[in-house]
Amino acid sequence: MLAWLLVLASGILASTNGESYHEDLVLRPLPKNKLLSSFRFVAEQRDPQLASGELTEYTTFPRSLGQIMSRASTHELHLRFSQGWWDAESWGVPPANGTYAGGVGVEMWAWVAGEDLADAQANWHRLAHSLSGFFCASLNFLDQTVTTHLESDALPRSGDSSDENLYLLRGALPAEPVCTENLTPFIKLLPCKSRAGIASLLDGHQLFDSQWQTMSVDVDHIGDRLRLTQVVSNVIDVPHMQRRRRDPLPRPEPYADLICKEREWSADYICLPDDPRSANWVISEIFDKELAPACPLAGDGPHVFVEASDNWTVKVGGNVTSGSVSFSLGSEPVDLVLSSEDGLVVLENKVPDVFVDRSFTGYGQQSGGLRTVFTNPHDVEVSLVYIENLPWYMRLYLHTMSGDLDIVEDISYTSAEDRTRPSKVQLHIRLPPLSQSSIEYKFDKSLLYIEEYPPDANHGFEVPPALALTSTGYSTRTTSLLLSLAVPDFSMPYNVIILTCTTMAMFLGSFVNLIVKKVVPEPLGEKILVESSLKRRIQAFKTKLIGN
Amino acid sequence: MLLVGVILRIGLAALFPSLPQFLSAQVELSTPVSSFSRLQEGVYLYKHLSSPYQGNVFFQSPLLLSLFSVLPVQNSFYVSVFYALVDGWTAYNLAKIAKARPITSFSPNTIALLYLMNPFSMLGGLARSTLIFTNWAIVASVQAAIAARPIKSVVLIALASCLSLYPLYLVLPIFSLCLQNSYRYSFRSMVLALIGSIGAFSALGYLPLQSWNFLDKQYLTSLLFRDLSQPNLGVWWYYFIEMFAPFRPFFVGVFQLFLGSFPVGLTIRFPHEPLFVISAVVGLLAIFKPYPEVADIGLFLTLLALNKRVVGLMRYRLVVILGLLYVSALAPTFYNLWVYRGSGNANFFYAITLVYTLTVALALSDAIWAAVRLDYDGGRGRNLMQL
Amino acid sequence: MAGQFRGTYVSENALLPHQASTHFRESEWHIVRGFRSEIRDFKDLPERERNARLMGLFDEIGLKSASHDWQTSTTEGSQNVYSILHAPRGSHNEAIVLVAPWTNMDGEFNDGGMALLVSLARYLKKWSIWHKNLIFVVPSNPHSALRAWVGAYHTSLKYTAGSVEGAVVLDFASTSERFDHVEVYYDGLNGQLPNLDLINTLVKVADAEYVRCDLPGSGPSYHLYGQRLQTMAAGIFRQIVAGIKPGAGCEMFSGWRIDAITLRAVGSDGETGHDITTFGRLVESVVRSINNLLEHFHQSFFFYLLLGPRFFVSIGTYLPCAMLVSNSFLIMAIHIFASKRRSFSRETIGLTSMTLGAVGLASLMLSSFFVNAISSTTWRLGLFAAATSGCISARKLLGNDTKQAIYGTALTLYGFSLTTLSMFNFSLAFGLGFITIPLAWLRRVKFARSLIILLTCPVTVLGIAAWVMDIPLLDLIDSLIYAHKVLSVWTWQVITQIWLPMWFVGVIIY
């Protein structure tokens, strides 16, 4: 009864609020027995802050997030939580052309309004702190030493509000771990939480045991409407997940269960392991749950899309189809089985526009080099923007840039300021077809004050991933890098102070001794010594007093 | 002699083309305020991208920026030739000073040889530290003062101070030297000349980038010890790394005060020997400056040799020489063990820093005692003791 | 001696050796056998094809593998295979390397090691707990091939996986699947040693698996003084010849702050003893411990002399030996300078500098210039003979005063060089000082001067060393120069630029 009232109420409000909510799940087998699952939730409604006169309120769009954004004067927010490594060579392009994938750790960029840059940075600070509590992630570390200010059109806008006073600010924390406590507030933003719809498959144990996973939150304005897009994607190693269900520890398989290849020397006790090529993937086994009934607020459109090649058969409820299929969730829980005779044959993946790899060169803790390799696998030219934010304790020497410099059309460089801002290197690159080019430049590593080293100082510092955006809208990030800096001895403050001050005082002492004193011959010196002894001085003082 | 020294440096740079680059990376030879690779970066930024003074890499004088933006800074050989010529000119000036003071100094040949063949100044020159220019300006200023050209001397010392901050401590002894050697100008006019030249050089520094940023970046970095990128032979870096945050500004003030309290005292104590005072202050700068390097020591040893009688009366010469040898062998060793191999600790290198400070401090106090003796009785007395 | 050494202990608390249960056992042994037979099947194929087959094995497991072609300037080159397991829960910027070369250090076919590597790769992939990437490398030999791979990893390799925290080289060349005990090699080039914690972890893990752990060149009873002495001497000798004599593979990681050890299964011809999966469990536990680390190895000692798997001498105890040896040169120099009644004249100083300069120049030319220009060692020996005759003629020309000045200065510089060297490579400095100490006695000893000169000549000592190591002298010199050029080992530089000038000075003044 209550549910009907709610639906009625939302129907009434729908007419005034223009709200909508869609969700869909894409399942796609990847090469080598992996499954890509991508959950997308889009909630849209008229912005209550902008509406004037009409009665509007937050319905599908969560009020908490809306209030945070308006308090921080943020027009567009993009937040990414990622873990793992996306194998672009084998798996192609991440979902939505890489738009919803971020670099390792936490990444945030937003178009923030403000009178000037300082005002915008204050708003960013407010935004980061509020979101930090909201998502249980240490976003409060996105302070000015980690945040950069880019030109407003450096990154693609997904909304379209054009306000001149918007500043694009971006920061990344690559060392931030992503786990269940970040997933829970993410799910709480959804209208049906994880009780209905595709979100019922989201489970921390399964999601975070994947090869690669990313959660993204995108908030933007379209006209006067607010839109929230949440995407969770992950790549699951299916045999691994199935094995984990049987036994969480990789105990040795029972002898009888070993599947071996045929060779002349094969025997009971000599086994060249063979993994069966047939696949039978039961979604409730992989995700540990069945798909719950549809969320009442989600539309009627197909909710689940399976993108598989024709040798795959998809069994949904009672229906069996082969190849790609899509279906909607009904009012009953449903299970999905993907099976194939040859699980290694999958749909061909779209080859990414460009492959970018970044690594450190050199050795030692004084200096090093940064080397980026760009590979263009297509036979057309690719132009891309490569943005790198490096922490201020890396002192870059751009004059040492070497390698295939003719691919670089333009360099935009904002140098770092100690303890104030990171450096920004923005390269506009045009890659010739079917080529591999590399660019390398050197930097010096800096020492830090003793309190600026983290407790695990010998671990090193994480350098955020670099971002590469092609003109066709493909965005990719490199891996983060571990920068090891020279470390002083942390047990030494007292010792250093006393040793240094002793050295300085010794010199001061002998210097003052030499400069201030007068040189006299020895007999005179002895006379003065005798005269200035305490007894004589007391006598002289008495004489003076008494006036003898 | 001069030619031999200059040709040797050029030859070394030619034979081992990667030597300057390698030496420039050694922390004992080049510091963040005098490193040649930072100068190259500054020139590159100036020519292509943005202001070099808006970042955290370049902290040197805009005069050097302008100079090296017209020189072919990328070609390593020509730069080494230029540095060798500058060093040769410094040695020539030193020889002229020695010639003007035949009694109190070693022969001009010995002095020039000492400067050019001195491993410290040779390494500093090969590493292309920009302190070489400051040293050139200091020596030229002293030479001009002795040759009775006080205005030229004042202008040159102003240039030295504009290139790097600390030669300002040499101003008083230079004035004293000028007044000793020429009677035409008064103290007041020299002060005016100093202020004028500093203003002129600052204005020249304004020109390349049309901004006064360089004052903040160049001088305040050196004064307030802002840039902590790499260790050096001095005592400042480890002290301030390990110091707790609230006390840092206080101790920056204390250390600057410490450094600044010596030159004035020396000038007052030895009013008739400004050349010795200059040598002693250069030695002081070599240990208590925020960013010392071996080029400082090279200059100190040579300037000290300009006072032959002082050197003759020093008692600990062998200890100082052995100590400096010891430091120059072990400092790169321990730095390598700490930073490259990772098997050593920062404390190893810090200990060598302390040994260096103590050795040069010993040399300084010994020299000052010798000067005191000279002052008193011309060094004739035998059994003099320090009370 | 008792009281001079200490027992080893695991210093880094995060390592927690053998706290996790290991499951590489039972049916995994069948899989090891399967991989071993498969590898034996294609071991005789040409290099490219067999590497392709090996890459296929890694591909089937699901790892990303690639081949690396390398060539040093001396027309020596081949192909290595490597494969990366990307850690699901890590930040992808740290890695642990496991190496199993095709042939082990003695040139034997390392089929056990390679089979173990592939089956460990398959097994370790089942775990979800990796925080660091795992890299499995199969170089063609544990010397130049492995070095080329490590060098390429830090400059230009196609797939990299972050900075390497630790490396273990597996050596299980055998005809059977059982082994008696494990030998641990821990040398590094130029006197570098891995952090003692890595060895301690391994010893503790071996303890828990009841596997005996030995140091190479010594037997099991480390409680005996003689055994410990032998171990220490063997350790010092191995450090001196690291890089020159083909080593165990772990020294190829030196220079990049990577701690590496080699595990070698010994006694693997019989049918009794531990089985190969026990060896695998050792590796698994060590890798689990390294995975636990948050920081690089930094807690435990980097300077030590191992007297046994559980006994070591720390630097504070052994450094005074090297210091005494090098300071004796200094003391002789000071004695020479102090016993002069009047100071040296200008001509003496001039001649001294010229002679020392000539000696230095000759040594420099012998060491580096002719390394590049003249490739034949006989030419080099000829040049050496020419220089020696130059010194003998100089001996007749120079006066006593000059000779004293030269001797004193040379002794000072030599003492300083040895002190500096002992900070880097204690064994080399100690050995060098020990052999050349008679050069400091040249002026005091009246009778055996020629004998001293002969015995301390670098060529003689190298000849004796060659005889001990059982290779021709020319080959030894060639491998010294090769180590200098390709592996950046300093021993050749030390011999020609520190030892040789001192010996030349000895010839001049005796």
Side-chain angles (χ1 to χ4, degrees):
Chain A
M1 179 59 183
L2 196 60
W4 280 113
L5 269 176
L6 272 171
V7 172
L8 195 61
S10 57
I12 293 171
L13 285 168
S15 54
T16 50
N17 226 348
E19 66 184 18
S20 72
Y21 174 69
H22 299 284
E23 57 180 36
D24 55 58
L25 164 64
V26 175
L27 293 169
R28 183 196 177 98
L30 290 176
K32 304 251 186 68
N33 292 319
K34 304 222 182 359
L35 178 68
L36 168 67
S37 64
S38 181
F39 300 73
R40 186 166 61 149
F41 311 91
V42 184
E44 211 178 298
Q45 67 161 83
R46 204 167 295 163
D47 189 353
Q49 306 284 340
L50 295 180
S52 52
E54 298 174 30
L55 179 71
T56 49
E57 56 174 29
Y58 290 102
T59 48
T60 49
F61 191 95
R63 177 203 203 105
S64 42
L65 197 54
Q67 285 187 325
I68 290 177
M69 293 213 21
S70 66
R71 270 196 69 222
S73 311
T74 309
H75 278 239
E76 198 170 317
L77 166 71
H78 300 271
L79 191 56
R80 304 277 182 272
F81 300 83
S82 295
Q83 198 81 359
W85 182 71
W86 176 266
D87 186 358
E89 271 187 20
S90 313
W91 305 339
V93 163
N97 214 15
T99 322
Y100 298 118
V104 164
V106 171
E107 199 180 314
M108 182 163 103
W109 67 97
W111 276 263
V112 180
E115 290 154 8
D116 53 13
L117 185 58
D119 194 28
Q121 276 174 340
N123 280 331
W124 167 271
H125 175 90
R126 213 168 281 139
L127 178 70
H129 277 251
S130 315
L131 287 176
S132 150
F134 194 76
F135 283 106
C136 295
S138 310
L139 294 173
N140 52 320
F141 285 123
L142 282 174
D143 57 9
Q144 57 172 358
T145 60
V146 170
T147 320
T148 44
H149 165 60
L150 301 169
E151 291 101 35
S152 277
D153 55 355
L155 298 175
R157 303 276 304 265
S158 51
D160 62 2
S161 67
S162 54
D163 195 328
E164 274 86 40
N165 279 350
L166 288 181
Y167 294 85
L168 171 58
L169 293 164
R170 179 172 181 269
L173 296 171
E176 192 62 30
V178 179
C179 53
T180 318
E181 63 180 21
N182 307 118
L183 181 64
T184 312
F186 185 92
I187 293 179
K188 274 168 68 171
L189 290 174
L190 302 170
C192 291
K193 313 284 186 285
S194 59
R195 285 193 286 263
I198 57 176
S200 54
L201 288 183
L202 289 176
D203 175 58
H205 290 109
Q206 172 272 345
L207 184 67
F208 297 106
D209 195 16
S210 45
Q211 304 292 110
W212 173 84
Q213 117 276 333
T214 177
M215 302 190 309
S216 68
V217 173
D218 295 71
V219 181
D220 46 36
H221 282 87
I222 308 177
D224 63 345
R225 298 165 71 77
L226 258 182
R227 180 173 62 181
L228 168 66
T229 312
Q230 289 172 264
V231 177
V232 179
S233 312
N234 67 343
V235 172
I236 309 163
D237 185 346
V238 180
H240 173 91
M241 204 56 84
Q242 290 171 330
R243 190 171 41 229
R244 252 196 66 190
R245 248 183 101 82
R246 286 198 307 269
D247 187 353
L249 293 176
R251 278 184 251 264
E253 289 158 26
Y255 294 98
D257 288 352
L258 281 178
I259 304 173
C260 309
K261 284 194 190 163
E262 277 299 313
R263 292 278 189 273
E264 314 86 61
W265 33 259
S266 295
D268 271 343
Y269 52 92
I270 306 182
C271 178
L272 183 65
D274 193 15
D275 292 312
R277 291 184 72 118
S278 67
N280 188 36
W281 299 351
V282 183
I283 293 298
S284 59
E285 274 181 14
I286 296 175
F287 286 85
D288 234 9
K289 306 191 171 107
E290 287 183 332
L291 275 166
C295 176
L297 290 174
D300 288 327
H303 296 122
V304 183
F305 297 81
V306 178
E307 293 173 5
S309 52
D310 289 330
N311 57 318
W312 286 85
T313 52
V314 182
K315 193 165 110 176
V316 184
N319 306 334
V320 178
T321 17
S322 72
S324 298
V325 81
S326 63
F327 63 93
S328 317
L329 294 174
S331 49
E332 291 293 323
V334 74
D335 196 4
L336 192 61
V337 179
L338 290 113
S339 48
S340 167
E341 281 300 311
D342 189 348
L344 296 180
V345 173
V346 293
L347 274 182
E348 217 175 280
N349 291 309
K350 178 173 168 231
V351 179
D353 289 346
V354 68
F355 296 105
V356 187
D357 271 300
R358 188 181 65 162
S359 57
F360 276 148
T361 60
Y363 61 94
Q365 291 175 327
Q366 182 183 342
S367 58
L370 204 54
R371 180 170 179 263
T372 316
V373 178
F374 301 93
T375 311
N376 182 1
H378 300 280
D379 52 6
V380 290
E381 254 188 8
V382 167
S383 65
L384 60 110
V385 175
Y386 179 71
I387 301 178
E388 207 163 31
N389 289 342
L390 299 169
W392 60 264
Y393 36 84
M394 288 169 68
R395 306 201 189 265
L396 308 179
Y397 292 118
L398 287 186
H399 74 277
T400 55
M401 201 181 278
S402 64
D404 304 300
L405 290 179
D406 41 345
I407 63 172
V408 179
E409 290 184 323
D410 189 28
I411 306 179
S412 157
Y413 174 59
T414 307
S415 59
E417 186 67 57
D418 272 8
R419 298 177 184 90
T420 310
R421 64 165 189 255
S423 62
K424 180 195 82 165
V425 179
Q426 193 168 328
L427 305 174
H428 291 260
I429 290 179
R430 186 178 291 274
L431 293 173
L434 292 170
S435 66
Q436 185 177 69
S437 339
S438 70
I439 294 197
E440 188 173 337
Y441 57 90
K442 303 216 187 319
F443 62 93
D444 263 356
K445 304 182 191 180
S446 166
L447 287 173
L448 304 175
Y449 290 132
I450 194 172
E451 71 268 4
E452 290 173 347
Y453 287 99
D456 54 348
N458 282 287
H459 172 70
F461 293 78
E462 309 246 351
V463 174
L467 169 65
L469 280 169
T470 62
S471 46
T472 52
Y474 173 63
S475 74
T476 183
R477 283 156 183 77
T478 62
T479 52
S480 63
L481 296 170
L482 194 62
L483 180 76
S484 70
L485 294 181
V487 159
D489 189 343
F490 295 105
S491 61
M492 287 284 282
Y494 171 67
N495 301 329
V496 168
I497 293 173
I498 60 172
L499 283 173
T500 307
C501 290
T502 308
T503 320
M504 291 165 70
M506 277 172 61
F507 175 65
L508 180 67
S510 53
F511 180 83
V512 170
N513 198 16
L514 289 169
I515 295 288
V516 166
K517 301 214 176 144
K518 202 160 92 164
V519 181
V520 291
E522 212 171 312
L524 180 60
E526 286 189 358
K527 185 155 153 263
I528 295 176
L529 207 61
V530 160
E531 275 188 8
S532 63
S533 72
L534 195 56
K535 210 155 123 188
R536 292 292 175 107
R537 278 212 179 145
I538 293 174
Q539 269 195 342
F541 184 60
K542 275 192 192 165
T543 321
K544 227 164 134 184
L545 265 184
I546 301 172
N548 198 357
Chain B
M1 220 17 81
L2 272 178
L3 273 176
V4 169
V6 172
I7 287 177
L8 183 64
R9 283 155 198 248
I10 298 180
L12 276 175
L15 271 181
F16 302 106
S18 62
L19 186 65
Q21 193 78 346
F22 169 71
L23 288 179
S24 182
Q26 303 299 314
V27 290
E28 303 89 6
L29 304 180
S30 79
T31 62
V33 294
S34 68
S35 158
F36 189 70
S37 39
R38 287 183 184 233
L39 182 61
Q40 279 178 310
E41 178 68 11
V43 170
Y44 177 82
L45 288 177
Y46 173 56
K47 281 190 180 164
H48 298 122
L49 290 176
S50 58
S51 162
Y53 291 109
Q54 273 173 357
N56 59 352
V57 176
F58 185 66
F59 300 115
Q60 297 174 39
S61 166
L63 302 170
L64 287 174
L65 195 62
S66 328
L67 176 66
F68 278 96
S69 52
V70 289
L71 286 183
V73 78
Q74 300 293 25
N75 189 329
S76 159
F77 181 65
Y78 290 127
V79 174
S80 303
V81 169
F82 180 63
Y83 268 86
L85 289 175
V86 171
D87 260 340
W89 194 352
T90 314
Y92 176 62
N93 278 332
L94 281 167
K96 282 212 285 200
I97 299 175
K99 219 190 302 194
R101 299 260 170 126
I103 311 170
T104 58
S105 140
F106 288 102
S107 76
N109 261 346
T110 317
I111 296 286
L113 188 68
L114 197 57
Y115 185 72
L116 286 173
M117 297 305 198
N118 188 341
F120 297 118
S121 40
M122 173 138 41
L123 284 175
L126 281 173
R128 298 179 297 184
S129 147
T130 55
L131 209 60
I132 298 292
F133 299 110
T134 314
N135 287 354
W136 167 79
I138 294 174
V139 169
S141 165
V142 173
Q143 194 270 327
I146 289 189
R149 316 265 301 270
I151 297 297
K152 180 174 163 193
S153 170
V154 168
V155 169
L156 281 167
I157 200 73
L159 177 64
S161 315
C162 284
L163 287 177
S164 111
L165 183 60
Y166 292 96
L168 268 181
Y169 287 129
L170 289 172
V171 156
L172 276 182
I174 290 273
F175 278 175
S176 172
L177 193 59
C178 288
L179 285 174
Q180 227 186 28
N181 283 315
S182 130
Y183 300 101
R184 266 192 296 157
Y185 296 91
S186 69
F187 186 76
R188 197 158 24 134
S189 56
M190 285 201 289
V191 168
L192 283 175
L194 181 74
I195 297 176
S197 6
I198 291 184
F201 286 124
S202 306
L204 269 179
Y206 175 80
L207 283 177
L209 286 156
Q210 309 289 323
S211 84
W212 295 106
N213 259 346
F214 75 95
L215 287 176
D216 169 39
K217 278 288 148 127
Q218 185 191 348
Y219 299 121
L220 286 187
T221 306
S222 197
L223 194 65
L224 300 178
F225 193 61
R226 278 205 203 132
D227 181 80
L228 196 62
S229 337
Q230 55 189 53
N232 49 53
L233 280 175
V235 291
W236 285 63
W237 61 278
Y238 208 38
Y239 194 83
F240 285 99
I241 288 180
E242 302 271 356
M243 175 64 67
F244 303 122
F247 301 108
R248 271 191 207 111
F250 171 66
F251 276 101
V252 167
V254 166
F255 273 41
Q256 289 290 7
L257 209 61
F258 180 79
L259 178 57
S261 54
F262 295 114
V264 177
L266 271 178
T267 318
I268 295 176
R269 179 66 176 88
F270 300 106
H272 305 294
E273 290 150 52
L275 195 58
F276 171 71
V277 173
I278 291 173
S279 325
V281 173
V282 167
L284 251 149
L285 290 181
I287 33 178
F288 293 126
K289 222 162 66 159
Y291 301 102
E293 51 187 80
V294 292
D296 288 316
I297 274 293
L299 186 65
F300 168 59
L301 290 176
T302 320
L303 284 179
L304 201 58
L306 283 175
N307 308 283
K308 182 158 113 180
R309 297 164 74 202
V310 170
V311 174
L313 286 175
M314 281 170 66
R315 296 166 294 172
Y316 300 121
R317 283 170 300 193
L318 186 63
V319 176
V320 167
I321 291 187
L322 282 181
L324 283 175
L325 208 62
Y326 179 58
V327 165
S328 41
L330 284 181
T333 308
F334 285 142
Y335 184 75
N336 187 303
L337 276 175
W338 171 30
V339 165
Y340 287 101
R341 283 204 175 192
S343 20
N345 216 345
N347 297 332
F348 294 17
F349 186 70
Y350 170 63
I352 297 297
T353 307
L354 286 181
V355 171
Y356 169 77
T357 309
L358 279 173
T359 310
V360 180
L362 180 67
L364 269 175
S365 21
D366 206 18
I368 294 174
W369 170 237
V372 164
R373 275 186 64 182
L374 267 181
D375 197 31
Y376 174 64
D377 64 357
R380 273 165 289 138
R382 285 246 159 175
N383 297 321
L384 290 177
M385 25 175 267
Q386 255 179 302
L387 273 179
Chain C
M1 264 196 307
Q4 300 297 320
F5 60 89
R6 301 163 61 174
T8 58
Y9 55 96
V10 173
S11 208
E12 169 73 62
N13 288 325
L15 279 170
L16 299 172
H18 209 262
Q19 297 297 313
S21 42
T22 48
H23 297 290
F24 188 73
R25 54 182 81 231
E26 296 159 14
S27 60
E28 301 284 347
W29 195 353
H30 296 345
I31 295 176
V32 173
R33 284 196 196 100
F35 278 121
R36 192 183 201 157
S37 312
E38 178 80 357
I39 290 175
R40 278 188 185 142
D41 263 358
F42 61 71
K43 79 169 184 180
D44 293 319
L45 291 178
E47 184 174 57
R48 308 237 152 217
E49 282 175 40
R50 72 175 189 203
N51 280 344
R53 294 284 292 269
L54 194 57
M55 284 204 298
L57 286 180
F58 280 117
D59 271 341
E60 273 175 24
I61 297 173
L63 306 180
K64 213 158 178 61
S65 51
S67 64
H68 163 236
D69 293 298
W70 62 277
Q71 199 167 29
T72 60
S73 55
T74 58
T75 64
E76 175 194 2
S78 72
Q79 195 184 56
N80 301 328
V81 169
Y82 66 102
S83 170
I84 302 182
L85 168 68
H86 287 273
R89 293 287 312 156
S91 310
H92 289 276
N93 40 28
E94 294 170 291
I96 305 173
V97 177
L98 290 176
V99 182
W102 272 97
T103 54
N104 74 352
M105 58 180 157
D106 296 327
E108 300 161 2
F109 179 49
N110 187 18
D111 60 345
M114 285 193 290
L116 203 55
L117 191 73
V118 185
S119 32
L120 270 176
R122 184 174 179 277
Y123 165 72
L124 292 176
K125 188 170 188 302
K126 296 183 191 171
W127 286 96
S128 311
I129 44 97
W130 302 116
H131 184 261
K132 304 183 191 341
N133 299 326
L134 294 174
I135 309 181
F136 304 96
V137 189
V138 182
S140 37
N141 61 58
H143 317 126
S144 34
L146 186 53
R147 183 70 169 181
W149 184 84
V150 181
Y153 185 86
H154 290 92
T155 47
S156 62
L157 203 61
K158 186 175 177 198
Y159 299 127
T160 57
S163 67
V164 182
E165 305 279 313
V168 181
V169 181
L170 309 177
D171 177 351
F172 199 110
S174 71
T175 51
S176 86
E177 298 168 328
R178 294 188 175 269
F179 67 99
D180 184 49
H181 62 273
V182 164
E183 269 186 354
V184 185
Y185 290 80
Y186 59 91
D187 315 303
L189 298 175
N190 290 329
Q192 286 181 313
L193 293 171
N195 198 316
L196 192 56
D197 261 344
L198 187 53
I199 304 174
N200 296 339
T201 312
L202 176 72
V203 168
K204 268 208 144 45
V205 161
D207 247 359
E209 296 276 348
Y210 304 106
V211 173
R212 196 181 100 209
C213 223
D214 269 354
L215 294 178
S218 57
S221 25
Y222 292 100
H223 55 277
L224 296 175
Y225 172 72
Q227 192 67 265
R228 290 198 299 269
L229 188 63
Q230 185 190 349
T231 315
M232 190 175 77
I236 292 181
F237 180 69
R238 270 202 331 275
Q239 265 201 312
I240 296 179
V241 298
I244 302 163
K245 192 170 141 195
C250 50
E251 66 263 3
M252 295 309 163
F253 286 93
S254 296
W256 283 281
R257 289 176 154 238
I258 303 174
D259 302 287
I261 52 173
T262 300
L263 296 182
R264 182 185 194 179
V266 176
S268 49
D269 299 323
E271 296 298 328
T272 55
H274 308 280
D275 60 276
I276 195 170
T277 55
T278 315
F279 196 80
R281 283 201 296 281
L282 290 181
V283 178
E284 182 195 348
S285 297
V286 170
V287 171
R288 286 290 293 266
S289 291
I290 302 180
N291 184 49
N292 280 345
L293 284 180
L294 200 51
E295 309 178 71
H296 289 253
F297 281 106
H298 69 284
Q299 286 275 45
S300 188
F301 300 90
F302 283 102
F303 296 110
Y304 51 88
L305 284 177
L306 277 183
L307 303 179
R310 289 176 194 78
F311 306 115
F312 77 102
V313 185
S314 85
I315 190 171
T317 317
Y318 71 69
L319 199 61
C321 314
M323 288 298 145
L324 280 176
V325 169
S326 55
N327 286 343
S328 56
F329 290 98
L330 262 172
I331 292 174
M332 276 311 289
I334 294 178
H335 167 76
I336 288 175
F337 284 128
S339 61
K340 288 288 302 170
R341 251 160 251 129
R342 37 176 222 296
S343 56
F344 295 104
S345 64
R346 291 177 72 106
E347 295 87 32
T348 321
I349 296 178
L351 268 176
T352 315
S353 346
M354 263 177 29
T355 327
L356 283 174
V359 163
L361 201 63
S363 322
L364 197 68
M365 287 167 77
L366 263 172
S367 77
S368 48
F369 180 59
F370 287 123
V371 160
N372 299 322
I374 300 180
S375 47
S376 160
T377 316
T378 36
W379 268 102
R380 244 180 241 114
L381 284 177
L383 267 151
F384 166 74
T388 319
S389 41
C391 293
I392 297 180
S393 52
R395 181 169 142 244
K396 299 194 174 64
L397 292 172
L398 295 172
N400 201 22
D401 246 10
T402 321
K403 283 189 187 170
Q404 274 207 310
I406 293 175
Y407 192 39
T409 323
L411 280 176
T412 322
L413 290 175
Y414 190 64
F416 271 122
S417 314
L418 276 186
T419 312
T420 313
L421 186 63
S422 64
M423 304 280 25
F424 284 115
N425 189 344
F426 163 78
S427 317
L428 189 59
F430 182 67
L432 195 58
F434 197 67
I435 295 173
T436 53
I437 197 76
L439 281 175
W441 305 333
L442 271 178
R443 283 258 145 169
R444 309 284 289 163
V445 163
K446 302 262 186 318
F447 42 92
R449 286 190 192 178
S450 329
L451 190 63
I452 290 179
I453 293 290
L454 200 62
L455 277 181
T456 57
C457 171
V459 180
T460 327
V461 175
L462 280 179
I464 298 176
W467 175 74
V468 162
M469 291 198 289
D470 209 19
I471 50 179
L473 174 62
L474 294 184
D475 276 357
L476 180 61
I477 298 186
D478 274 337
S479 43
L480 272 170
I481 294 175
Y482 175 79
H484 161 62
K485 274 168 64 166
V486 174
L487 302 175
S488 317
V489 174
W490 306 335
T491 317
W492 175 248
Q493 304 280 59
V494 167
I495 291 177
T496 50
Q497 288 176 15
I498 297 181
W499 187 357
L500 203 54
M502 188 64 220
W503 186 77
F504 280 151
V505 165
V507 169
I508 292 178
I509 60 121
Y510 95 98

